[in-house]
Amino acid sequence: MQDSPLQSEFDLIRRHFAGMTPPRPDVSLGIGDDAALVTPPSGQQLAISVDTLVSGVHFQPSVSPQALGHKALAVNLSDLAAMGAEPAWATLALTLPEPDEAWLVGFAEGFASLARRYGVALVGGDTTRGALSLTVQVHGFVPDGQSLRRSGARVGDGIYVTGCLGDAALCLKQLQTATPPTAIPDSLRQRLDRPEPRIEAGLALRQRASSAIDISDGLLADLGHILEASDVGACLFLERLPLSAAFSEWFAASGDWSPALSGGDDYELCFTLPPAQEREMTGLAAELELGIHRIGTIEAAPGLRVLQPDGRAWLGTGRGFDHFAGGSTDAG
Amino acid sequence: MQDSPLQSEFDLIRRHFAGMTPPRPDVSLGIGDDAALVTPPSGQQLAISVDTLVSGVHFQPSVSPQALGHKALAVNLSDLAAMGAEPAWATLALTLPEPDEAWLVGFAEGFASLARRYGVALVGGDTTRGALSLTVQVHGFVPDGQSLRRSGARVGDGIYVTGCLGDAALCLKQLQTATPPTAIPDSLRQRLDRPEPRIEAGLALRQRASSAIDISDGLLADLGHILEASDVGACLFLERLPLSAAFSEWFAASGDWSPALSGGDDYELCFTLPPAQEREMTGLAAELELGIHRIGTIEAAPGLRVLQPDGRAWLGTGRGFDHFAGGSTDAG
């Protein structure tokens, strides 16, 4: 539906991203034709993932464009990390209410800065007018047979997570309540605004982990996907959940586990590991300079049992982020 | 930003598209994990294109979900056609104000029906809540060195288009004016709502056409991209523009070329052909059962000269669709 004459070529993506993301020898044609042309490596599978972020649903309209550019790419790279894939190419479909130069410069900076760290080339894009939202698609490589999937967890495997849980959700909770923004620890803000995709951990877990997922909707919901896909159950120990200092302080007063269990936006990896692999995790954590903690065990009995430190079952009702009512369903 | 507890798994894409698009042996893992896993063929390049359609900008909110599903995929396949690529995989990021079962069933039907015709598997997706918009990304294959690009037009090449021009824009014009919908010929409605990607033509033009583009923003704008990328000029003859019966009837009364020149939404191919290839076009048109018409010539002098049937220059100001103010900029 096109109803206005051309006033000027307004190629936002090309203009703002030119030279911002790294050149790659496997990109024959980037932004600027009807399609990008890339050469996938032979002997590897291509992992493809897409995520949309909508203003007011996935981020606050007041978020800085730099942080948003970072996050839009980070949440997608997090999906590649969960597959054990090495990032390669991205596309960006940007819907904006109006072209805002300063905003675009900041957004491109945040996006490209993360892209450079992982050698990701932006190869295509589309800009449209409408309510602010962004759809990023990423492509990565994983050698045949080495991908991490949700479906491989086996009875007796340990359940692990990288990093800490609940910081982003706690930050959001504080932003949404009366807490003055200045009272929110910077470490929590960083975790909400600038999640770190666990790419190196995903690559290191190839041929080690039996299953993996990234925690975007909350630990319980995402671990639930592993259990469902693997047709197993699990037992989780709350006292083993890795918590940041800021979260622990808040927890000491509130006694509320829910941001760490069902808050979402963690972008850590949750994975399962056969017992034979367990000993390697300490070395791996040191090598990656990233916490890796065992939080539970895969069991045959269906369902997820969450145990409090005193051994009683945790009966909290929050199970994760509503996949449609409040946000998104990521299906690849 | 996630602020509500999980109520139910609401995996719209998986639920509505399961089994709807064709299985492909090169898809190891489709919708349902953190990423899809596919195996690109060796010796071929991968063409990647993404397009967003926003309600009220690219389609009327009243459009049928079937037509919208078709069009969302068609406009992307049209980009692959313009590269000479063979379609393979698609992803769909759907933003909806609310989950509407009947709408989703219709949308999936329209999308999948076209996908089946071209053997396209839907391998990934994301559903989010927000103002209605859809981002589709498509992937196709083109043998190394055989892609059609915008940059290959040479002085002396003929300029060609497939099909007819202006029908979709004329239909939109009539929908937006007082014309009662019942008075709009069905052939025009079809052209606006259900554009046909010229995949077969794109494949046939490999190693023949010197450049190609799909006409999404209007002939003048899109041919302009070829001229710019190829660093050449051109001369166009208005009396050679291929027009449908319905358009010709309207033109007889209005004398207005603009929907055919700058209306957009045609999704025909515009391509250039070295003189040695010209003789093959008649046979190719018959084989494809598709009109292929020469409308002009590539020249050395920069700029685009549009000549009326009497030989005078056409001085209409409409040059195409504003790439941001009213719609989209497709950069791959």
Side-chain angles (χ1 to χ4, degrees):
Chain A
M1 196 172 102
Q2 304 183 339
D3 53 6
S4 67
L6 180 79
Q7 288 155 11
S8 64
E9 179 68 19
F10 208 91
D11 191 336
L12 298 175
I13 300 261
R14 199 173 354 180
R15 199 143 51 80
H16 284 278
F17 282 88
M20 293 285 282
T21 63
R24 291 179 58 102
D26 55 15
V27 177
S28 304
L29 193 60
I31 291 172
D33 210 301
D34 290 287
L37 288 172
V38 296
T39 304
S42 60
Q44 302 217 42
Q45 292 190 302
L46 191 64
I48 303 176
S49 184
V50 60
D51 269 305
T52 298
L53 301 184
V54 177
S55 180
V57 176
H58 301 91
F59 59 90
Q60 299 197 311
S62 61
V63 71
S64 85
Q66 285 85 353
L68 187 58
H70 173 97
K71 188 162 181 172
L73 181 58
V75 303
N76 277 280
L77 292 182
S78 180
D79 283 316
L80 291 186
M83 301 302 290
E86 178 195 340
W89 315 304
T91 65
L92 167 65
L94 198 51
T95 301
L96 292 171
E98 56 190 14
D100 174 335
E101 288 294 311
W103 189 93
L104 281 160
V105 167
F107 181 86
E109 202 174 277
F111 186 100
S113 165
L114 181 61
R116 285 192 295 269
R117 278 171 47 203
Y118 288 106
V120 174
L122 185 72
V123 298
D126 190 25
T127 49
T128 48
R129 174 180 284 262
L132 179 60
S133 79
L134 341 136
T135 298
V136 173
Q137 176 159 312
V138 288
H139 304 76
F141 312 141
V142 57
D144 288 349
Q146 294 188 19
S147 62
L148 306 174
R149 305 186 180 197
R150 298 179 179 181
S151 55
R154 297 291 169 261
V155 174
D157 286 357
I159 301 169
Y160 293 77
V161 291
T162 60
C164 301
L165 301 179
D167 288 346
L170 176 57
C171 179
L172 184 63
K173 199 182 183 81
Q174 297 189 344
L175 283 171
Q176 288 173 335
T177 57
T179 314
T182 48
I184 300 176
D186 201 50
S187 64
L188 295 186
R189 287 303 297 256
Q190 285 290 315
R191 293 278 290 161
L192 178 64
D193 287 348
R194 294 183 178 267
E196 279 297 318
R198 301 304 187 190
I199 294 293
E200 296 84 356
L203 295 176
L205 290 171
R206 285 177 181 172
Q207 301 186 287
R208 286 175 168 156
S210 51
S211 73
I213 194 168
D214 77 317
I215 307 176
S216 53
D217 296 340
L219 174 65
L220 298 191
D222 289 314
L223 175 56
H225 293 314
I226 286 185
L227 302 185
E228 191 189 348
S230 302
D231 198 18
V232 292
C235 185
L236 269 196
F237 304 99
L238 288 183
E239 82 269 22
R240 297 200 188 166
L241 292 186
L243 305 176
S244 68
F247 191 101
S248 297
E249 189 181 327
W250 176 82
F251 180 79
S254 69
D256 182 3
W257 294 105
S258 61
L261 290 172
S262 51
D265 257 2
D266 288 310
Y267 300 106
E268 297 294 346
L269 298 184
C270 174
F271 60 96
T272 60
L273 208 65
Q277 297 285 343
E278 183 152 9
R279 282 175 47 190
E280 293 194 51
M281 285 304 109
T282 311
L284 188 63
E287 193 185 304
L288 296 171
E289 299 180 18
L290 176 67
I292 296 183
H293 292 93
R294 179 166 178 171
I295 60 170
T297 303
I298 295 294
E299 299 179 335
L304 178 55
R305 289 155 290 284
V306 182
L307 298 182
Q308 301 185 71
D310 61 9
R312 287 181 306 141
W314 182 76
L315 299 171
T317 52
R319 286 190 51 234
F321 181 51
D322 185 316
H323 280 194
F324 191 83
S328 67
T329 294
D330 183 10
Chain B
M1 196 173 104
Q2 304 183 341
D3 53 6
S4 67
L6 179 79
Q7 288 155 11
S8 64
E9 179 67 21
F10 208 91
D11 190 336
L12 298 174
I13 300 262
R14 199 176 351 182
R15 199 143 51 79
H16 284 278
F17 282 89
M20 293 284 282
T21 63
R24 292 179 58 102
D26 55 15
V27 178
S28 304
L29 192 61
I31 292 171
D33 210 302
D34 290 288
L37 287 172
V38 296
T39 304
S42 60
Q44 302 217 42
Q45 291 189 303
L46 191 64
I48 303 176
S49 184
V50 60
D51 269 305
T52 298
L53 301 184
V54 177
S55 181
V57 177
H58 300 91
F59 58 89
Q60 299 197 310
S62 62
V63 71
S64 84
Q66 285 85 355
L68 187 58
H70 172 98
K71 189 163 181 172
L73 181 58
V75 303
N76 278 280
L77 292 182
S78 180
D79 283 316
L80 291 186
M83 301 302 290
E86 178 196 341
W89 315 304
T91 64
L92 167 65
L94 197 52
T95 301
L96 292 173
E98 55 191 15
D100 174 335
E101 288 292 312
W103 189 94
L104 281 160
V105 167
F107 181 86
E109 202 174 276
F111 186 100
S113 166
L114 180 61
R116 285 192 295 269
R117 279 171 47 203
Y118 289 106
V120 174
L122 184 73
V123 298
D126 190 24
T127 49
T128 47
R129 174 180 284 261
L132 179 60
S133 78
L134 339 136
T135 298
V136 173
Q137 176 159 312
V138 288
H139 305 76
F141 312 142
V142 57
D144 287 349
Q146 295 189 19
S147 62
L148 307 174
R149 305 186 181 197
R150 298 179 179 179
S151 55
R154 297 290 170 263
V155 175
D157 287 356
I159 302 169
Y160 294 77
V161 291
T162 61
C164 301
L165 301 178
D167 288 346
L170 176 56
C171 179
L172 183 63
K173 201 181 181 81
Q174 297 190 345
L175 283 172
Q176 288 172 336
T177 57
T179 314
T182 50
I184 300 176
D186 200 50
S187 64
L188 295 186
R189 287 304 296 256
Q190 286 289 316
R191 294 278 291 161
L192 178 64
D193 287 348
R194 293 182 178 269
E196 280 296 319
R198 301 305 186 191
I199 294 292
E200 295 84 356
L203 295 176
L205 290 171
R206 286 177 181 172
Q207 299 185 288
R208 287 175 168 155
S210 52
S211 72
I213 194 168
D214 77 317
I215 307 176
S216 53
D217 297 339
L219 174 65
L220 298 190
D222 289 314
L223 175 57
H225 293 314
I226 286 184
L227 302 184
E228 191 189 348
S230 301
D231 199 17
V232 292
C235 185
L236 270 196
F237 305 98
L238 288 182
E239 81 271 20
R240 296 200 190 167
L241 293 187
L243 305 176
S244 69
F247 191 101
S248 298
E249 189 181 327
W250 177 81
F251 179 80
S254 69
D256 182 4
W257 295 105
S258 61
L261 289 173
S262 52
D265 257 1
D266 289 310
Y267 300 105
E268 297 294 347
L269 297 184
C270 174
F271 60 96
T272 59
L273 207 64
Q277 297 285 343
E278 183 152 9
R279 282 175 48 190
E280 294 194 50
M281 285 303 109
T282 311
L284 188 63
E287 193 185 305
L288 297 171
E289 299 180 17
L290 178 66
I292 296 183
H293 292 93
R294 180 168 177 168
I295 59 170
T297 304
I298 295 294
E299 300 179 337
L304 178 55
R305 290 154 289 285
V306 182
L307 298 182
Q308 301 185 73
D310 62 7
R312 286 182 305 142
W314 181 77
L315 299 171
T317 51
R319 285 190 50 235
F321 181 50
D322 185 317
H323 279 195
F324 190 84
S328 67
T329 295
D330 183 11

